[in-house]
Every structure is written in C-alpha cells, then in structure tokens.
Amino acid sequence: MSPRHIVVVGASLAGTGTARALRDQGFDGRLTLVGDEPHPPYDRPPLSKQLLAGQREIGDIALPPTDGLGVELRTGVAATALRLADRTLALADGSRLDWDALVVATGAAARPWPAPVPGGVHTLRTLDDARALRRELAAEGARLLVVGAGFLGSEAAATAAELGVPVTLVEAEELPMARGIGTVAGGFVARLHREAGVELRTGTTLRSFTGADRVTGAHLEDGTHVPATAVLLALGAVPNTAWLRGSGLLLDGAVVCDEHGRALAEDGTVVPDVLAVGDASRRPHPLTDGTLHLGHWSAAVEHAAVAARVLLHPAGGGELPEPPVAVPSFWSDQYGVRFRSLGLPHLADEARTVEYDVPGRRLEVTYHRDGELVGVLTANRTRRLAAYRPRLADALRHRRAAAAL
C-alpha cells in the first residue's frame, strides 16, 4: 500500500527534488516539506560565487517553487527528533508530524571552529552566511583571511580577490584542493590564486584569532600573524544529522543506507519507510568496501529521483528497481576558469596529465585506481568530458557486478 503521508525533512536541493519527483511519479497523498531556514528553497553553489559577489540575489538562485504540487511547505522550523516506533517527527516549535514514510534531506553544515570566536569570523553554508560575508567584503579597508583551500575556500578567495579585496588563503596541505583533485591540478589552482594576487600560505593552519570583540587577524601554526578584518572558516562540512541521535538509525556522520537509499537501523536491518538523500546519506559504492558519502550537487539530484521510486514501489511487488549507475560530477568557477569533474578523483591512486596549459588556462587530468579509470578533471575543456562519461559508467557497472559475485 502506498504511504498516505510522506514527510521530507530538509528544504534542500535533494529535499525539494524528492518532493517534485514524488508528484511526477504519481504520488497523490499528503506531502509535507520541512526546512529550518526562513527562506524559500534555494540553490547553494552560487553562495560562494555570484551571490557573494553581489551579482545575484535570492530570487536568482531560488529552486523551482513547490506551488502547484500540493506540498505543505513549513519553513523556519527545524526537526529536533525522530521516533520510529510511533512514526512521529518532533519540530523546534513544539509541534509534531505523523508520517507513513520519511525522507532525511537535511544536508550538511559548515564545520565550526572548536572554541568561541570573535565577531567577523564566518562560515559559508547558508544564504544568511553569504549575505553577512558580503557585507564584510564591501566595508572600507576590508581584508579577508580564508582558512581552508578546498573548493569552497578557493571559490570564496577568488570571488573576494575579483572584488579587489586583499586575500590571504591558508591551507594545511602543500597545495589547494589537493585532497580532492591531486597535486597536478592543485598546482594549477595555486598558480591561479597567485596570479590574481592572493597570498597563499600552505603547509600551515590556524592556531588562534587576535582581537577580543572583533577579529583583527590570526596566528598561524608556523608562528606568523595574518592581519584581517574578516575571516572565513572553510574547514569542510558536517552532515546535519545530530537531531537523529537516539532515533535508532545507524549514523556514521550521515545516515547509513543500503544501495537504494533506505536507512539502516543500528542493528543493521533496513528501515524501509525512512530514506536519506544528498549530503545526509552514506551508501555503498562500487569503489569502496564500505559506504561512501557523496557531497556533490549531482548526487542530490540523482538521489531524489531514486528515493521517489523506492517509496512508491508497491509492497510485495517483487525486487526494487536496480539503482542507476551514477557518475558523480561537480564544477567550480574560479578567476574565469570553469573546472568540471566526473567520477571520483579523490579515490584514485594515480593521476595522468593529458593537458597542462597555464597560459591558456586549460587542464585535463585523468584519475585511475588499480589501472582503471575512476575520474577526470578539466579546466576550460568541458566538451572533452562527454567521451569519459560512458567509460566511467562502464567501469562502475563492472565493479558492481564483480562485487555481487
């Protein structure tokens, strides 16, 4: 029997996509979408780029509205607890929702500094975060310190530099973004930063802030001091699943799921009426022996479509549809350079340089594991990706089939 009331927790890309997919696939029951932010659902990638630069506003990054879908949208109220036994969801305003099926789409939060911070120290994960940092960059005499040169930190540093703000970018590794894309591509990114005038400090990290009520800079572990009127902590993300502690679901940062996205209980059994999607989920992957957390925009989109199919699969109707072989993808815009990636470069044990043209701002690197292609990254060579996608999909199918034997 199809569920009568489905609750989607998280008005994110994955959450709104799940709600839309449910209606597109014929669900005509009650559908509630719960979000902790007061704003209508919006797309997050522009936060560190166009919105931070003042080139876009909320109306430009809003996700397709749920008007006309018959969705009860509850914004500005966070989920606080989940009870599996009586199928209830507790909300921060004291209310409760009964559900027949539930989707966890609460995404991830910025990893915080482990101690109190003075004013002017920011993270960047929400619309309000981006607006607050934008005000800092617009102030006279602004000087930005970015701690963490992953994708978010590098994008924010590039945006601030293009606005004419002096930027210092600090990274614990020897090269920016190297954990995700390797040393060759990391070196390419480092040259872009330096050519734009960003002061790049690698092999060190933040020790402490200076300034009492208001930040004036920071001491680094290498013994130096960096002056700053504002600091952005780009230290990674943490799945928003703390509210699920004590629920009986198996958590490993994110919700641990089976290959269909169905949540697992703490005893390892499947909870068929609770699914997790996007940044809030971990699920098996052919390239790992365990589960993998894919914090990519593309994963949120793909998970949403699969979640709807799984929830609407008739009870006792045979095997669930086989999950599609998804080839993860992401992009990053820095200094007018469009980086595009397919697959999972960070799982590679070898990188091969196909093209490295700094003056022309073009790059192509392939990533391999045990000699097999697992990813590709390009800079201003987007058209070349088309030839890699079927190869990556075939490799993943082969690994999935081998694992099933």
Side-chain angles (χ1 to χ4, degrees):
M1 183 176 68
S2 178
R4 299 181 302 276
H5 182 203
I6 299 177
V7 175
V8 180
V9 188
S12 57
L13 176 68
T16 59
T18 300
R20 188 169 298 278
L22 283 165
R23 291 303 193 211
D24 289 345
Q25 295 180 34
F27 178 63
D28 59 2
R30 183 184 174 194
L31 184 55
T32 303
L33 180 62
V34 177
D36 62 347
E37 292 187 61
H39 315 289
Y42 59 88
D43 205 15
R44 296 186 189 275
L47 295 182
S48 58
K49 299 182 281 288
Q50 298 95 334
L51 194 132
L52 184 60
Q55 298 167 352
R56 293 187 185 179
E57 294 297 340
I58 177 62
D60 303 310
I61 66 172
L63 293 171
T66 55
D67 299 347
L69 295 179
V71 175
E72 180 185 346
L73 178 61
R74 299 188 62 173
T75 57
V77 57
T80 57
L82 178 68
R83 288 178 55 89
L84 297 179
D86 56 9
R87 299 193 180 201
T88 60
L89 174 73
L91 302 180
D93 63 2
S95 64
R96 292 182 177 272
L97 287 173
D98 297 324
W99 50 269
D100 299 304
L102 182 135
V103 179
V104 178
T106 41
R111 188 180 300 278
W113 187 249
V117 298
V121 178
H122 300 262
T123 56
L124 181 53
R125 193 71 187 184
T126 69
L127 175 64
D128 290 340
D129 291 340
R131 285 172 167 170
L133 184 57
R134 187 169 72 182
R135 288 192 295 270
E136 299 273 14
L137 300 182
E140 185 177 355
R143 185 178 186 91
L144 178 66
L145 167 62
V146 180
V147 183
F151 291 98
L152 177 68
S154 288
E155 288 176 352
T159 299
E162 290 172 338
L163 292 172
V165 175
V167 180
T168 300
L169 178 59
V170 173
E171 169 56 41
E173 300 293 325
E174 293 302 322
L175 291 166
M177 296 170 55
R179 291 177 187 170
I181 59 177
T183 57
V184 171
F188 186 92
V189 174
R191 292 189 64 166
L192 292 178
H193 283 308
R194 291 190 171 112
E195 288 174 358
V198 170
E199 182 185 8
L200 185 58
R201 304 272 197 97
T202 60
T204 188
T205 188
L206 178 66
R207 177 189 297 170
S208 62
F209 300 104
T210 55
D213 296 331
R214 178 76 194 182
V215 71
T216 59
H219 292 297
L220 304 184
E221 291 293 350
D222 62 6
T224 61
H225 178 265
V226 177
T229 64
V231 177
L232 171 62
L233 298 175
L235 305 175
V238 181
N240 275 324
T241 55
W243 64 279
L244 290 169
R245 292 172 187 160
S247 66
L249 295 182
L250 181 61
L251 303 178
D252 183 5
V255 179
V256 180
C257 302
D258 69 3
E259 65 273 19
H260 301 285
R262 299 180 299 177
L264 301 185
E266 290 176 343
D267 63 4
T269 59
V270 171
V271 182
D273 296 323
V274 177
L275 278 75
V277 294
D279 285 356
S281 70
R282 295 182 65 93
R283 54 187 71 192
H285 193 277
L287 289 177
T288 65
D289 294 329
T291 58
L292 188 64
H293 176 250
L294 290 175
H296 295 325
W297 190 94
S298 63
V301 174
E302 291 156 357
H303 289 176
V306 173
R309 288 201 299 273
V310 171
L311 284 175
L312 299 182
H313 183 74
E319 293 294 325
L320 286 164
E322 184 176 350
V325 177
V327 178
S329 65
F330 65 81
W331 75 93
S332 180
D333 295 322
Q334 300 174 41
Y335 308 110
V337 176
R338 166 59 63 94
F339 293 93
R340 285 292 307 273
S341 173
L342 292 175
L344 296 167
H346 72 285
L347 294 182
D349 55 28
E350 180 189 4
R352 302 174 188 173
T353 305
V354 179
E355 181 180 20
Y356 192 99
D357 178 7
V358 174
R361 296 192 157 199
R362 292 186 291 269
L363 176 71
E364 184 176 350
V365 181
T366 60
Y367 300 85
H368 306 262
R369 182 165 175 163
D370 300 327
E372 189 172 51
L373 182 73
V374 295
V376 59
L377 175 82
T378 65
N380 289 341
R381 288 295 197 189
T382 300
R383 291 183 180 179
R384 294 190 179 181
L385 291 175
Y388 288 104
R389 188 179 289 276
R391 291 174 56 191
L392 287 164
D394 287 344
L396 290 175
R397 288 191 190 95
H398 173 75
R399 284 184 176 260
R400 177 183 286 177
L405 295 177

